[in-house]
């Protein structure tokens, strides 16, 4: 027997060794699901509790706790004591990596090992989010894996781990209180209904089965349901809503409302003060008279559809889902006028789904209290409440309201809506589909006696205006045109003893544009001006309107009196911009103003705006096709072409200035002028150098000349009458000629100006505001660009340019000196002749693409975005050689996008002035101006230039480019540089045609000398040829100067960055010309030092002493000792002297003519500075 027992023990031991030890219990769960484990251990607060995961290195802790806590969490793992004191474990959002053996233990000895296996099944992964509404029924379904088909299904609430309900018999619905469950085994899902949903029903539910393996029991959950319970309310687009979230207002606790988003609940309003009302844009939360937390949202938008949380303190909150519906019946504001003692009538249309509901008329007073005035009862029955009556016509979905014997207190804001309260658990709210603003006036009011039944719908953002005051506190609607202007009369009195302001309504509140507390009667900020007119009325002028100006504006005086006006800026091709007209004293000026089609039948007005900002109506149209006459002004409206024309006969100096073409609008709620065109009339005398061109020639522009209305020529920068420049000598010289026209008179085409005397017609601005709109300019790789940032150069203030980078704006140039030009490498900022802040950037690179800030002082600045484009056509420098008296020819290729632009040839002289030499006009047409001609071959994207009878002054730097007169910024974009070198025929340089070019990319930034680049001595040999040398070579055929350098052009990287020529290191005396009579035809160009200067002279690179020539003459006289030699020298000197005087006269005339040329759209101050040398009169003693 003992032998048998021993054998059995051995057999059992072998079996144990073969099968391995039973280490743990097995638990099977599903990826994406959860599990609740009961490891058959009791929770002991006096002992360490832990969960660890078995790994090769040992058991790695997941959670370990030595406190007295009954619940410990770490990420997705939680261990806690259930209601029975059992050690319980919850693991959520299971994934395959969670498969492992886990040890659960209490103290040092008690533990349980469980092997967890995570399986995948398409039925089970993920979380379902369900929305339910208070008082309604929530329904959801849970699908399960096939292996659980016959298992009982459980619904567990994760908030307390309580099993809510579970299935019983197959195909049998189970009910427990408000919960019901049904298992559809054929489809492998079970469904749950929760009736009469309460807020407590919200939370996380787990769908699963109960499993018992050996000593371990567990719930395996295959689906998670997140149930969100909210109140549900419906509003209408452009309507309003009042919510009562069933909370008490508590000034001792924080009150808040936030909007549920993926990132969390984003605050709209949060208040910790003792206030009973807090506003943010269209949202307002406040305590009503009963102390209830109340919310009003106006002008509902589609994006307002969301779940909102309203709370008091840390614990009490309510979630409400707002759905904004769109219905053509609803939204907007109806404006009503009524007269004291009469009857006011208005109607409110409503959506179809509200047909059977009672309609309510609600009054919203200054304290935002909702006061129901009257509501409908039975269908087709008129209801009466005091002086108010209401009738609902359900056949047309409209209810009408009558207010008899109107009193002043009846004025204010009324809301048409319905009261909604579905059940005791649901949210109570008013949904408003129409607003009525009732204005009550006395019979004696200046407003026309319009019947009170006339309504004017609007969507103006008058958010919280509920005053019973008249028009001055209700909303008006104004329509204007992009590029035009508008003058508004907000029906307020100007009061210098009270703050006057205008602000723009935005979501964050009303953002100030102008606010003034001084005694001033006129205040300006950029394009906006508010002022007192002659009648003492608060008046507003806005010029150069933009689409982004469309908004609601508030105009106010003091704390109580204000007017809200909605401005809508429309775009019409007919309108906007400025026409500049020239007229002559005593003649007739004619101009036309086109207008939009919707103003066809309106009376058109011509308004003059003088320096007192007085709106002076000059003349207006009356009947169709009838010419109106008033003194020297006549007007005619051609409605067939949507144009009216104006004639001003016997023009006087006072007629010059700014005229506005527009219409007068006397709307029910606001009066205003809408201007669609500006005319700037410039009056000149007959004696001016301006040609006698008819005044009807106009040139529209969108330049920001806001308030410039001077009668002086717009492009005239010196301020002098041109006739004053004509010398007596010139008049005498030309007195016998048939024509009396001054030489080379500029075209009548008027030029835009960027003058910053913005409010010159009224008063200078207090300060120039920053323009937030980003201007954009385009340049070309290796090309150049000249920018006019619309700032005035001010030597008394710091001028700077910086480049916007992530770290801030990095300075390129910053200058605090009295200088008018500052340079840094390829960048230069300077004052042009008109005093405008100007910037030149050369040899553009890809890294130059950036946003730049240009500023004067601390406040005035402009931001401009430069984009450098790459085009194979463009960039680099062409060096051209030409010979005196011959023709120079060169070509400039351009990018495809500039094919239709007018091409310009620009000369850049030593004053950094942009001088337009010539430009193309019509396609395939050669343009000629003096010795310059230009032709644009658009088929090959190349324009060519010819300069005939080349002179020494023609040498220098030329830029090929286009002028860009954008709405937001003015600039030249240059795609090619030409450096023209002019040589004498007598030089040893070979007679190479002037068309020979040598491109280079050398960084010679500003080197444009006509001398050979490689010529280091800088001497003009012909200027220093002695008489002995002349005599020696007089019989030779060739006149070539000795040892002249080769014509081979060499690139240079000279660091005289801003020297437009190879300027000399030192300058010689101007007396040289006066002392010597033997100088050949060389002008006396005064040169400047090369260091960082903009020298454009064609003078030689270096000069020798003034005494050189006279010494040569003395030596010659001494050597020759003959009278013949002296006569020869004297004769040559006389010839040169006479010829030089002739050149001076011609050059002087040509120089003045050049100074009168204005180009075809270039900004004032960038059109000219003489490119010729500065000739000086010779002393008579040198004859």
């Amino acid at each position: 027997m003992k032998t048998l027992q021993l054998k059995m023990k051995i057999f059992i031991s072998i079996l144990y060794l073969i099968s391995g030890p039973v280490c743990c219990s097995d638990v099977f769960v599903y990826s994406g699901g959860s599990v609740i484990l009961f490891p058959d251990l009791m929770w002991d607060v006096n002992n360490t509790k832990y969960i660890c995961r078995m790994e090769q290195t040992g058991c790695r802790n997941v959670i370990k706790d030595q406190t007295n806590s009954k619940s410990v969490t770490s990420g997705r793992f939680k261990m806690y004591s259930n209601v029975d004191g059992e050690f319980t474990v919850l693991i959520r959002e299971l994934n395959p990596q969670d498969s492992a053996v886990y040890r659960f233990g209490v103290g040092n000895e008690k533990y349980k090992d469980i092997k967890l296996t995570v399986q995948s099944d398409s039925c089970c992964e993920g979380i379902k989010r369900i929305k339910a509404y208070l008082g309604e029924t929530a329904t959801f379904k849970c699908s399960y894996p096939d292996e659980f088909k016959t298992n009982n299904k459980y619904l567990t609430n994760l908030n307390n781990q309580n099993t809510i309900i579970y299935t019983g018999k197959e195909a049998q619905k189970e009910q427990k209180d408000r919960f019901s469950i049904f298992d559809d085994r054929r489809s492998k899902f079970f469904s749950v209904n929760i009736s009469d949903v309460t807020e407590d029903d919200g939370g996380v539910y787990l769908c699963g089965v109960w499993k018992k393996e050996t000593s371990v029991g567990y719930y395996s959950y295959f689906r998670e349901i997140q149930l969100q319970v909210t109140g549900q309310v419906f509003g209408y687009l452009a309507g309003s809503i009042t919510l009562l979230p069933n909370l008490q207002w508590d000034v001792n606790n924080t009150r808040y409302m936030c909007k549920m988003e993926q990132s969390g609940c984003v605050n709209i309003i949060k208040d910790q003060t003792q206030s009973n009302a807090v506003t943010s844009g269209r949202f307002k939360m406040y305590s009503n008279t009963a102390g209830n937390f109340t919310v009003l949202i106006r002008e509902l938008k589609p994006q307002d559809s969301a779940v909102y949380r309203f709370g008091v303190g840390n614990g009490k909150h309510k979630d409400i889902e707002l759905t904004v519906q769109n219905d053509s019946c609803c939204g907007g504001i109806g404006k009503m006028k009524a007269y004291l003692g009469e009857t006011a009538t208005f109607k409110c249309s409503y959506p179809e789904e509200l047909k059977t509901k009672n309609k309510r008329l609600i009054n919203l007073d200054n304290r935002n209290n909702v006061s129901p005035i009257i509501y409908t009862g039975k269908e087709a029955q008129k209801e009466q409440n005091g002086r108010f009556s209401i009738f609902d016509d359900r056949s047309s979905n409209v209810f009408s309201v009558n207010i008899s014997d109107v009193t002043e207190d009846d004025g204010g804001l009324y809301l048409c809506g319905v009261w909604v309260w579905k059940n005791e658990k649901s949210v109570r709210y008013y949904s408003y589909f129409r607003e009525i603003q009732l204005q009550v006036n006395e019979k004696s009011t200046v407003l026309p006696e319009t019947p009170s039944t006339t309504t004017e719908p609007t969507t103006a953002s008058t958010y919280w205006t509920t005053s019973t005051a008249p028009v001055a506190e209700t909303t008006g609607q104004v329509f204007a045109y992009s590029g035009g202007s508008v003058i508004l009369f907000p029906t307020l009195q100007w009061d210098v003893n009270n703050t006057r302001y205008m602000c723009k309504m935005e979501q964050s509140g009303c953002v100030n544009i102008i606010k003034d507390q001084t005694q001033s009667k006129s205040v300006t900020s950029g394009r906006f001006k508010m002022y007192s007119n002659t009648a003492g009325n608060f008046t507003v002028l806005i010029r150069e309107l933009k689409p982004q100006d469309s908004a609601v504006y508030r105009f106010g005086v003091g704390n109580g009196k204000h007017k809200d006006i909605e401005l809508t800026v429309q775009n019409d091709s007919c309108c906007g911009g400025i026409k500049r007209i020239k007229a002559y004293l005593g003649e007739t000026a004619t101009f036309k103003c086109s207008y939009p089609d919707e103003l066809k039948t309106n009376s058109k007005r011509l308004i003059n705006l003088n320096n007192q900002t007085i709106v002076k109506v000059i003349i207006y149209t009356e009947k169709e096709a009838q010419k109106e006459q008033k003194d020297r002004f006549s007007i005619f409206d051609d409605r067939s072409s949507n144009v009216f024309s104006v004639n001003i006969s016997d023009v006087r100096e006072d007629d010059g200035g700014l005229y506005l073409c527009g219409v007068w609008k006397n709307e029910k709620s606001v009066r205003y002028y809408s201007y669609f065109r500006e005319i700037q009339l410039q009056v000149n005398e007959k004696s001016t150098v301006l040609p006698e061109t008819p005044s009807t020639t106009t040139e529209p522009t969108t330049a920001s000349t806001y308030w410039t209305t001077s009668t002086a020529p717009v492009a005239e920068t010196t301020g002098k009458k041109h006739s004053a420049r004509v010398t007596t000598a010139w008049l005498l010289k030309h007195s016998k000629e048939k024509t009396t026209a001054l030489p080379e008179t500029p075209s009548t085409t008027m030029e835009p100006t960027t003058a910053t005397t913005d409010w010159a017609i009224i008063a200078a601005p207090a300060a120039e505001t920053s323009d937030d709109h980003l201007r954009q300019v385009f340049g070309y790789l290796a090309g150049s660009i000249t920018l006019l940032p619309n700032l005035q150069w001010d030597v008394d203030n710091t001028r700077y340019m910086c480049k916007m980078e992530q770290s801030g704006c990095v300075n390129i140039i910053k200058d605090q000196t009295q200088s008018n030009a500052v340079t840094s490498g390829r960048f230069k900022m300077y004052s042009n002749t008109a005093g405008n802040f100007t910037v030149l950037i050369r040899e553009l690179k890809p890294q130059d693409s950036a946003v730049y800030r240009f500023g004067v002082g601390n406040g005035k600045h402009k931001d401009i975005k430069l984009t450098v484009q790459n085009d194979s056509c463009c960039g680099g420098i062409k060096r051209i050689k030409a010979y005196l008296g011959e023709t120079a020819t060169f070509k400039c290729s351009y990018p495809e996008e500039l094919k239709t632009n007018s091409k310009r040839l620009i000369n850049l002289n030593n004053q950094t002035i942009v001088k337009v030499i010539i430009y193309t006009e019509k396609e395939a047409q050669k343009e000629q101006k003096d010795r310059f001609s230009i032709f644009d071959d658009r088929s090959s994207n190349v324009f060519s230039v010819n300069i005939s009878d080349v002179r020494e002054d023609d040498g220098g730097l030329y830029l090929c480019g286009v002028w860009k007169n954008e709405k937001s910024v003015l600039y030249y974009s240059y795609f090619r540089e030409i450096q023209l070198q002019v040589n004498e025929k007598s030089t040893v340089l070979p007679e190479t045609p002037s068309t020979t070019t040598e491109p280079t990319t050398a960084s010679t930034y500003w080197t444009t000398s006509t001398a050979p680049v490689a010529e280091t001595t800088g001497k003009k040999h012909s200027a220093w040829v002695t008489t002995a040398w002349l005599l020696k070579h007089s019989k030779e055929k060739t006149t070539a100067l000795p040892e002249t350098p080769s014509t081979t052009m060499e690139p240079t990287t000279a660091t005289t960055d801003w020297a437009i020529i190879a300027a000399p290191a030192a300058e010689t005396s101007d007396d040289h010309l006066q002392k010597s009579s033997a100088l050949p035809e060389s002008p006396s160009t005064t040169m400047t030092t090369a260091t960082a200067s903009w020298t454009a002279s064609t003078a030689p690179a270096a000069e020798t002493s003034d005494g050189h020539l006279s010494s040569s003459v003395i030596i010659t006289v001494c050597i020759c000792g003959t009278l013949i030699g002296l006569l020869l020298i004297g004769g040559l000197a006389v010839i040169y002297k006479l010829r030089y005087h002739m050149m001076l006269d011609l050059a002087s005339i040509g120089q003045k003519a050049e100074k009168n040329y204005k180009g075809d759209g270039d900004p004032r101050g960038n059109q000219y500075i003489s490119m010729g040398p500065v000739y000086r009169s010779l002393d008579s003693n040198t004859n």
Side-chain angles (χ1 to χ4, degrees), residues 880-982:
I880 306 295
K881 293 177 188 171
Y883 296 100
L884 290 172
E886 297 194 352
T887 297
T889 301
F890 52 85
K891 296 181 179 181
C892 293
S893 56
Y894 53 81
E896 177 70 21
E897 62 265 24
L898 300 180
K899 187 185 287 283
T900 59
N901 288 73
S902 173
K903 313 307 182 302
R904 284 167 163 71
L905 180 67
I906 286 98
N907 183 274
L908 199 63
N909 71 3
N910 61 347
Q911 304 301 319
T912 68
I913 302 302
V914 174
K915 178 185 175 186
V916 179
I917 302 295
I918 194 169
Y919 57 91
T920 63
E921 289 187 350
K922 297 180 181 178
E923 184 178 1
Q925 177 177 302
K926 183 178 180 180
E927 302 295 333
Q928 184 82 36
K929 186 184 176 198
D930 301 330
R931 296 178 297 105
F932 288 77
S933 65
I934 191 170
F935 178 79
D936 185 7
D937 181 4
R938 294 186 179 177
S939 62
S940 58
N941 288 7
V942 172
F943 74 87
S944 55
V945 176
N946 285 336
I947 310 173
S948 62
D949 190 20
V950 170
R951 302 171 185 173
E952 193 170 344
D953 298 337
D954 295 330
L957 176 65
Y958 293 86
L959 303 176
C960 303
V962 296
W963 165 245
K964 291 283 192 175
N965 187 351
E966 304 294 344
K967 290 183 179 177
S968 57
V969 67
L970 312 172
Y971 67 102
Y972 287 97
S973 183
Y974 312 115
F975 37 82
R976 174 69 73 188
E977 291 193 3
I978 303 294
Q979 287 187 346
L980 181 61
Q981 171 194 336
V982 177

Side-chain angles (χ1 to χ4, degrees), residues 489-563:
F489 300 90
T491 321
L492 294 169
Q493 286 298 108
W494 190 269
D495 183 358
V496 293
N497 297 317
N498 260 314
T499 301
R500 286 85 57 206
Y501 64 91
M502 63 180 294
C503 59
K504 185 177 182 180
M505 293 288 193
E506 297 186 0
Q507 284 191 346
S508 58
C510 202
V511 179
N512 279 329
I513 298 172
I514 307 178
K515 187 175 183 180
D516 183 54
Q517 296 174 317
T518 70
Q519 297 282 316
S520 175
K521 289 192 173 182
S522 174
V523 193
T524 302
S525 176
R527 298 176 295 112
F528 296 81
K529 183 167 193 106
M530 65 181 189
Y531 60 97
S532 171
N533 68 4
T534 52
N537 296 320
F538 190 120
T539 312
V540 176
L541 173 59
I542 311 173
R543 292 183 65 186
E544 286 198 359
L545 291 165
K546 303 174 181 179
Q548 54 265 42
D549 292 331
S550 293
V552 174
Y553 295 84
R554 175 163 289 176
F555 308 95
V557 178
N559 293 326
K561 302 175 184 177
H562 69 262
K563 177 68 182 273

